[in-house]
Amino acid sequence: MQKQEAIDLLVKHRHGAISVTTMQAAAPWHLAGQTSSMHCEASLCMGSAASLALGLALGAPQHNVMVLDGDGSLLMQLGSLVTVASFAPANFYHFVFANGTYESSGNQPVPGTGVMDLPALAKASGYADAFSFEDAAELDPALPELFDRDGPILIELKIARDDATPRWALVPMAEMVRALRNELAP
Amino acid sequence: MITTPLAISLEGKLIADAICELGVTHVISVPDTNLRTVLADLAARSVPKLMYVCTEDEAIGINAGLYMTGHKPMLLIQNNGFYACINTIKAIALGAEVPTFMLVGQFGRDVNKRVEDSPNRAVHRLEPTMTTWGVPFVRIDEPDDVPLIRAAWDRAWTTKGPSAAIVGAPSR
């Protein structure tokens, strides 16, 4: 599926969930108007989106937390799958935008593309369940059911390569941290 | 010849009590050999919640998430672990201005030598590395230093950034 199709569907089904983005999803999520509330971005952390989201999920169990991760980003801290699973947050939904490339640095290939099995890694790490979608038409009806289930759940989104000039997050992370803390712990 | 140690082994309970008095809600740790009795003491308490994680990078991310939800977390790690997570300290603790208090064990230190004279690179480069990255630190080398844990904690919260308390000798 195209990245924008995935973004549009996650916007449609977000329903107030806290979002955490990194790298390829960060700018389109911002441009879709999703970063002004209940959001934090983690693009300069080299793979910390899932652990940051884990802290949010454990600290605010009354909210769903959705992570918009990347395949290259997740691989930088792959052990976070095990850490997330060991704390078993029921409100944790881990979307991985898997385009097989390090998009922001020029679409170099991500190791393991075509060989590794991210949903299998998540399930073997102890996630409650994991899925993979290549087609937006299949993802759309599946999302409400996924959010009804207890996490942690990993959802791999097979995203087409994008050769457009990379766009970066438009708001400094410190501002987002302040804003989210003001919302969650005023 | 009898030499006087430059860092004294502190009782784990003494350090754990100091942590509890801060109002810490979560201690996020990749375990440190030198601080194992602190960890054992904390594990026996219901508060703060002791969380073992795979990497120090994760610990800093989780610390940030808990901070944003109104909790008061901290890290307990080893000197080698500090080196492992410098990029995440740069991005989250410094860049995103998240209070990040770290209790750091000086694993591999010879307590009869000054830190600066240690042949162990992990020991003698720790403080210069923290200084390079703008991470303020205090040394906890004897019982009279224990109140400095609160000073380092307060500094993390006042400056909204990283701050460390370095424990010089293995706890007992």
Side-chain angles (χ1 to χ4, degrees):
Chain A
M1 75 186 84
Q2 298 298 315
K3 188 194 309 173
Q4 193 60 48
E5 291 180 297
I7 293 287
D8 291 344
L9 290 176
L10 294 178
V11 169
K12 176 181 173 184
H13 295 286
R14 181 180 178 186
H15 299 308
I18 299 170
S19 61
V20 177
T21 55
T22 191
M23 304 309 284
Q24 60 172 300
W29 195 244
H30 179 82
L31 295 170
Q34 297 301 302
T35 60
S36 59
S37 177
M38 300 291 269
H39 174 73
C40 192
E41 205 271 325
S43 278
L44 299 177
C45 312
M46 310 286 274
S48 290
S51 54
L52 193 148
L54 175 60
L56 290 167
L58 295 174
Q62 69 277 27
H63 295 285
N64 278 346
V65 177
M66 51 194 292
V67 192
L68 280 59
D69 210 342
D71 46 1
S73 295
L74 176 57
L75 289 174
M76 291 180 186
Q77 292 188 38
L78 192 57
S80 62
L81 289 178
V82 175
T83 301
V84 167
S86 71
F87 292 100
N91 55 338
F92 191 94
Y93 301 90
H94 195 166
F95 295 90
V96 181
F97 284 58
N99 62 1
T101 76
Y102 293 111
E103 183 181 285
S104 64
S105 55
N107 275 324
Q108 299 86 356
V110 167
T113 298
V115 178
M116 71 168 169
D117 184 337
L118 274 178
L121 279 168
K123 283 200 268 193
S125 299
Y127 272 52
D129 217 334
F131 304 90
S132 184
F133 292 90
E134 293 188 36
D135 188 341
E138 293 175 5
L139 177 63
D140 189 13
L143 280 171
E145 184 193 340
L146 289 173
F147 280 120
D148 277 343
R149 299 176 59 167
D150 281 350
I153 295 176
L154 183 139
I155 305 100
E156 179 188 47
L157 305 175
K158 298 272 195 180
I159 302 294
R161 174 184 168 128
D162 183 352
D163 286 308
T165 303
R167 294 171 299 182
W168 292 88
L170 305 174
V171 181
M173 188 175 176
E175 283 183 30
M176 286 185 269
V177 166
R178 274 195 295 275
L180 186 51
R181 182 173 157 81
N182 284 339
E183 287 183 279
L184 295 172
Chain B
M1 185 178 72
I2 298 173
T3 57
T4 304
L6 298 171
I8 297 167
S9 180
L10 302 177
E11 191 182 356
K13 182 178 183 306
L14 182 68
I15 297 174
D17 284 345
I19 289 170
C20 290
E21 287 165 11
L22 301 173
V24 170
T25 57
H26 299 74
V27 176
I28 312 161
S29 182
V30 179
D32 170 47
T33 308
N34 277 17
L35 298 175
R36 61 186 178 275
T37 65
V38 180
L39 289 165
D41 191 283
L42 290 170
R45 308 183 190 214
S46 56
V47 180
K49 182 176 174 56
L50 179 58
M51 302 174 65
Y52 289 118
V53 300
C54 296
T55 69
E56 293 79 6
D57 286 318
E58 293 172 13
I60 291 170
I62 294 167
N63 180 82
L66 288 168
Y67 163 71
M68 284 186 274
T69 54
H71 296 276
K72 294 187 170 183
M74 62 166 278
L75 276 64
L76 191 159
I77 60 176
Q78 186 175 95
N79 49 8
N80 292 300
F82 177 83
Y83 298 113
C85 64
I86 286 175
N87 181 63
T88 314
I89 290 172
K90 178 267 299 173
I92 295 181
L94 289 162
E97 301 173 5
V98 173
T100 306
F101 172 64
M102 298 169 273
L103 191 73
V104 183
Q106 268 285 35
F107 179 69
R109 179 181 176 189
D110 178 345
V111 296
N112 294 310
K113 287 190 168 73
R114 295 190 321 140
V115 167
E116 295 81 352
D117 298 331
S118 173
N120 186 325
R121 208 172 271 115
V123 172
H124 76 245
R125 298 312 301 168
L126 182 63
E127 292 176 1
T129 303
M130 287 182 174
T131 299
T132 295
W133 281 99
V135 179
F137 60 86
V138 296
R139 288 183 181 178
I140 311 298
D141 284 343
E142 56 182 79
D144 286 350
D145 292 336
V146 171
L148 296 176
I149 292 174
R150 175 172 288 280
W153 165 266
D154 287 344
R155 186 156 186 179
W157 282 81
T158 303
T159 62
K160 291 190 168 49
S163 175
I166 304 170
V167 181
S171 59
R172 59 183 163 82

